[in-house]
Amino acid sequence: MSARNAKRIWNSCLLLAMTSVPLTVEAADKQPEKPVADTAPVMAVKPIPEQGPTPLPEALKFARLDARKSAAQTAAQFQVVKAVSDKYGVADREIQQLQEQIKTTAAQIKVDQAVLTQVKQAEAKQQQLRSADPLVAPKPLPDSAALARQIAAREAQIKTWDASVKEKQKQLGELKKEVAEAKKQHSLLQAKEKEFQEIVKLYTGKQPAADPSLFREMAAYQNSRPLYSCKIDASGNYILAGAQGSAFHRWDLVSAENTELLGHNSWVRRFDVDRSSPLLITGAYEGKVAWWNLESKSPKPQHLVDAHKGFVRGVSVSPDGKLVATAGNDRLVKIWSVDTAKLIRTLEGHEHQVYNVKFHPGGRYLISGDLRGNVKQWDVESGKLVRDFDGSAIYKYDTTFHGHIGGVRGMDISHDGKYFAISGIGEVSNAFAGIGVPTVILFDWETGKRLAVMTPSDNFKGTCWGVRFHPENDFIAAAGGNSSGMIWFWKLGEEKPFVSQKVKSVPYDLDFHPDGLRMCVACYDKTARLYNLGPKTPEELASEQKKKKK
């Protein structure tokens, strides 16, 4: 191998590692100070008592909304089928009319040509008679020249009609395809509508509960580039996702229609939605933050502000929807007015890039987590630092590459505000390849103590990119991977998952649907996937039985 080829391969490997591994390189002479460990060890506590799977009464409401939406889309598609079929019928009749005109005109030409032949023969005879006896008066005959012109005009008309028939037949072929595709889509929508109706019927009989052991893919939403972040809005209408490239994506959950939100010039890694309005706020690697109206048919940025120097890595809307907190590579946390997009306060204290920020459900505080695993709690009104939490279990300084690896890659607070969790990579053995253990650290909000350091049951290696509390605190879900992807489910306080599910690609984020039964995952293979943790319908069970028999 030549030196040039060896160098090219090394550069390619380095680029791959830097895009897939959370490794941040610093100058070799800047050795990090030893992180301050929590003075109290990880609490040896029993798992937080559970009351069993929590019934989810809101699930029926969302199922009915989806069923109505699906029915409306099916009805609309039926009108599309009808409209395209009508166009097909009109085109077909026009072709038939033209063909009939061509047939009639061709017959007229045949008659005219016969008459013209007779006229020419009569003219020849009269010419012979005049030559023999000039005093003989010729009989009047039709104008042969005019007759010839009429035949030529009719032949030209037939050529025009024939060309029109060919063009319309081509259009008819395209319309035939459109009719077939419209009918196919209508059939698919009918099947989907039936599925939603079955779910409504199932949930009407008994309030469902989420069961991770029933985890199954229900839908997939395709993109042209890898996805890195995702959420489902409070209305349950949309799956939202940030991806490589400057376009942000909004998929209609039922129809799968994709709307691109254009306004940024780089990747959107973090964003948040308001829980009581169609407000979306996105943060991009260009350092800008944008405000959007989710219900707009073609959303445009309502505000676009320069928020941070370097990447915007964290975005969180306050519970009352009045404030938004952002965090970035400039080591700052900033609080903005949602209404005016004006900066209210800047929070300083992190010594490294801030990866995540989240408002506490009570609204008074927010927390932020950085590259070193340091988590800080801030008083929103005063901007003062309240306390620090130790997340150093998901951080390491690599002395070989002279860089940091890890940090608070995922963060969430339980809906009741009693717990919060951070996720990342721990026990790193190879920083360059991202070899470590996907890790979630669970904290008690009131005491600030760590309740558990949660890791996979097997020898799975990689990073835990995202973590979410189930809306009813029935469990914690986390997504991650390296060369392959996994979703883990832990009961609160337990160190090993009670369910682990393999997914088709490395997931970089996840979120729960407000019904508490469905969850979306943003994957590197350019797909946003929707999974269901709810009870299976009779049709699903019957389909599974058929597959088993085969």
Side-chain angles (χ1 to χ4, degrees):
M1 181 185 295
S2 68
R4 179 179 297 178
N5 287 337
K7 184 176 181 180
R8 185 183 298 115
I9 293 173
W10 167 252
N11 289 338
S12 299
C13 292
L14 182 60
L15 177 61
L16 176 63
M18 292 300 292
T19 55
S20 60
V21 180
L23 178 65
T24 301
V25 178
E26 287 195 345
D29 59 350
K30 188 178 179 181
Q31 295 291 335
E33 60 275 13
K34 187 175 181 181
V36 179
D38 192 346
T39 55
V42 174
M43 294 182 67
V45 298
K46 294 180 180 179
I48 298 170
E50 62 169 327
Q51 57 190 17
T54 305
L56 301 167
E58 290 288 292
L60 178 59
K61 179 189 78 173
F62 286 105
R64 284 173 172 163
L65 287 172
D66 289 342
R68 285 198 292 271
K69 195 172 177 182
S70 180
Q73 290 174 353
T74 303
Q77 185 62 26
F78 176 78
Q79 294 303 317
V80 172
V81 172
K82 186 176 182 301
V84 177
S85 298
D86 289 345
K87 286 175 67 177
Y88 180 89
V90 170
D92 189 45
R93 287 191 295 273
E94 288 177 348
I95 290 172
Q96 291 178 18
Q97 290 172 359
L98 286 170
Q99 289 174 334
E100 187 63 31
Q101 288 174 328
I102 290 171
K103 183 179 179 182
T104 300
T105 304
Q108 290 173 341
I109 290 173
K110 190 173 183 180
V111 171
D112 290 344
Q113 285 174 335
V115 172
L116 181 61
T117 299
Q118 293 173 355
V119 169
K120 286 183 176 180
Q121 289 174 349
E123 287 177 344
K125 287 181 180 180
Q126 286 183 349
Q127 185 65 31
Q128 290 174 357
L129 291 173
R130 283 197 300 270
S131 298
D133 187 356
L135 297 178
V136 176
K139 293 181 180 180
L141 294 173
D143 186 344
S144 60
L147 195 56
R149 288 195 297 272
Q150 179 175 299
I151 291 172
R154 284 177 172 164
E155 287 176 338
Q157 183 65 68
I158 285 178
K159 286 183 179 180
T160 301
W161 284 339
D162 190 56
S164 182
V165 166
K166 290 179 180 178
E167 182 63 29
K168 287 186 178 295
Q169 284 177 332
K170 183 179 178 181
Q171 293 174 0
L172 195 67
E174 295 299 319
L175 284 171
K176 186 176 181 180
K177 292 179 182 178
E178 285 185 36
V179 170
E181 181 61 27
K183 287 182 176 180
K184 179 182 177 181
Q185 290 301 318
H186 183 251
S187 179
L188 292 173
L189 287 171
Q190 281 182 314
K192 187 177 289 187
E193 181 185 347
K194 184 180 177 183
E195 291 176 5
F196 282 118
Q197 290 171 343
E198 289 172 353
I199 293 172
V200 169
K201 185 177 180 181
L202 181 65
Y203 295 176
T204 301
K206 182 181 179 181
Q207 287 185 358
D211 182 352
S213 68
L214 300 177
F215 178 93
R216 62 207 184 273
E217 185 176 320
M218 301 301 292
Y221 307 84
Q222 300 297 328
N223 187 39
S224 59
R225 298 189 177 191
L227 301 172
Y228 289 114
S229 54
C230 67
K231 273 187 173 63
I232 299 177
D233 73 314
S235 70
N237 283 326
Y238 304 116
I239 289 181
L240 310 167
Q244 284 185 9
S246 58
F248 186 81
H249 300 273
R250 181 189 72 185
W251 281 282
D252 183 282
L253 187 144
V254 176
S255 71
E257 180 183 1
N258 182 17
T259 301
E260 290 189 342
L261 280 63
L262 303 176
H264 286 294
N265 292 317
S266 59
W267 304 4
V268 173
R269 183 66 179 91
R270 296 292 179 192
F271 65 94
D272 201 9
V273 289
D274 186 23
R275 292 299 164 181
S276 58
S277 73
L279 170 69
L280 163 70
I281 299 182
T282 55
Y285 280 0
E286 67 203 15
K288 293 183 178 180
V289 175
W291 276 243
W292 313 79
N293 179 359
L294 264 181
E295 296 300 328
S296 174
K297 186 176 181 180
S298 301
K300 304 295 181 186
Q302 298 173 328
H303 304 287
L304 186 62
V305 300
D306 291 311
H308 292 271
K309 293 180 180 179
F311 298 175
V312 177
R313 291 185 177 271
V315 177
S316 180
V317 177
S318 65
D320 61 7
K322 295 180 179 180
L323 303 173
V324 58
T326 63
N329 270 12
D330 54 9
R331 308 176 185 181
L332 301 175
V333 176
K334 296 185 177 183
I335 301 175
W336 310 79
S337 166
V338 165
D339 291 336
T340 65
K342 300 296 184 183
L343 180 63
I344 295 175
R345 189 167 290 106
T346 299
L347 311 179
E348 301 182 41
H350 283 282
E351 297 180 0
H352 298 272
Q353 298 98 315
V354 187
Y355 282 171
N356 260 293
V357 64
K358 183 81 175 179
F359 275 97
H360 186 269
R364 181 179 175 183
Y365 303 107
L366 63 82
I367 55 174
S368 55
D370 65 24
L371 166 68
R372 293 275 305 275
N374 298 312
V375 179
K376 296 181 179 294
Q377 177 185 342
W378 308 89
D379 184 284
V380 173
E381 186 173 350
S382 67
K384 292 182 178 179
L385 178 65
V386 178
R387 55 180 171 172
D388 290 283
F389 304 91
D390 176 25
S392 58
I394 52 174
Y395 163 78
K396 181 180 179 179
Y397 183 81
D398 189 284
T399 55
T400 301
F401 292 99
H402 302 290
H404 302 281
I405 179 169
V408 182
R409 296 292 167 168
M411 174 187 284
D412 197 25
I413 305 177
S414 63
H415 289 235
D416 59 12
K418 292 181 179 179
Y419 314 101
F420 74 93
I422 58 174
S423 69
I425 184 172
E427 301 180 26
V428 175
S429 57
N430 186 330
F432 184 78
I435 304 300
V437 178
T439 303
V440 173
I441 306 175
L442 177 67
F443 291 88
D444 179 87
W445 178 264
E446 183 177 355
T447 65
K449 298 296 183 181
R450 290 180 293 180
L451 297 177
V453 176
M454 301 180 286
T455 56
S457 302
D458 53 16
N459 197 34
F460 189 91
K461 301 299 182 183
T463 300
C464 187
W465 294 102
V467 61
R468 287 289 183 276
F469 285 87
H470 182 261
E472 295 295 335
N473 277 3
D474 282 357
F475 48 81
I476 293 174
N482 190 341
S483 59
S484 60
M486 292 290 292
I487 306 290
W488 302 278
F489 299 90
W490 288 274
K491 293 179 181 178
L492 272 66
E494 292 188 350
E495 295 182 348
K496 297 299 178 183
F498 68 101
V499 173
S500 300
Q501 299 283 1
K502 188 174 182 179
V503 291
K504 296 176 183 177
S505 177
V506 177
Y508 281 88
D509 201 5
L510 75 164
D511 193 34
F512 281 103
H513 189 284
D515 66 9
L517 296 174
R518 291 172 284 179
M519 59 186 294
C520 67
V521 175
C523 295
Y524 186 75
D525 66 352
K526 310 171 186 177
T527 307
R529 293 184 167 85
L530 185 68
Y531 295 95
N532 196 340
L533 282 62
K536 296 179 180 180
T537 64
E539 288 294 325
E540 285 183 281
L541 295 172
S543 178
E544 288 180 357
Q545 287 298 321
K546 286 182 181 179
K547 289 180 180 179
K548 287 181 180 179
K549 289 181 180 180
K550 290 181 181 180

